[in-house]
Amino acid sequence: QYKENDILRDKEVILTFDDGPLRPYTKPVLEALAAHCTRATFFMVGRQALADPEMAREVARRGHTIGTHTYSHQNMRAIGASRARIEIEQGFSAVRRAIGQPIAPFFRFPYLADSQAMMEHLRERNIAMFSIDVDAIDYRAKEGATVHRNVMVDLMPRRKGIILFHDLQPSTASAIKGVL
């Protein structure tokens, strides 16, 4: 997905976190990133950001990039163009409101389920669409060690990549120190 936009050099990674913030797991992720002087990109879900705007602002205060991931994490292919456009726009509005400042013009489709109509809508708005190279598969893992293994097994042969984590998963919160 979007392979024509290879922006990374050998041994470079971009850490990304989707679906949050969710304080019990976002907080330890932030602490681990800070301990390693590392910044990441957080693709926040609008209703999650509005549910805990202080946590969303904390992510921004720590210097991380904030993008969006729709308002309520709907599959854009399943809900039709009109509803998908609303989900995207409400997501941007909600996250901006929660953060209280402008956010990056970055977007990731939930489930990576893009559609031609929504990709065109985002292009018209000059919003960059992000995919992934490595999936931590943290939403299926109970143990941080499994997440760590998933990332390393997938990352090592590639030697670079955009890594997908979810900052509402306990397995991510326990794995991130080891990954870093």
Side-chain angles (χ1 to χ4, degrees), residues 24-122:
Y25 309 117
T26 303
K27 192 78 168 159
V29 165
L30 291 176
E31 295 303 322
L33 292 168
H36 287 83
C37 299
T38 302
R39 299 285 193 284
T41 300
F42 287 77
F43 290 98
M44 293 185 181
V45 170
R47 70 177 176 194
Q48 290 291 112
L50 288 176
D52 191 350
E54 182 52 40
M55 187 79 260
R57 285 190 296 273
E58 179 67 19
V59 174
R61 265 194 303 275
R62 290 183 182 227
H64 301 286
T65 302
I66 310 294
T68 65
H69 198 49
T70 72
Y71 179 76
S72 64
H73 203 271
Q74 297 291 310
N75 183 321
M76 300 289 98
R77 289 183 191 153
I79 63 173
S82 177
R83 182 69 193 134
R85 192 172 289 110
I86 291 167
E87 273 287 317
I88 289 169
E89 296 305 323
Q90 284 182 335
F92 272 100
S93 294
V95 173
R96 259 193 316 268
R97 182 175 183 183
I99 301 292
Q101 65 187 44
I103 59 173
F106 295 171
F107 180 81
R108 181 176 284 146
F109 286 95
Y111 313 103
L112 303 176
D114 58 10
S115 73
Q116 262 329 109
M118 289 310 95
M119 289 190 316
E120 185 56 35
H121 173 70
L122 292 167

Side-chain angles (χ1 to χ4, degrees), residues 124-143:
E124 288 171 3
R125 299 250 353 261
N126 292 317
I127 296 170
M129 295 164 274
F130 279 72
S131 188
I132 68 168
D133 298 305
V134 175
D135 188 347
I137 315 173
D138 50 0
Y139 53 91
R140 286 192 206 155
K142 292 186 191 235
E143 303 292 326

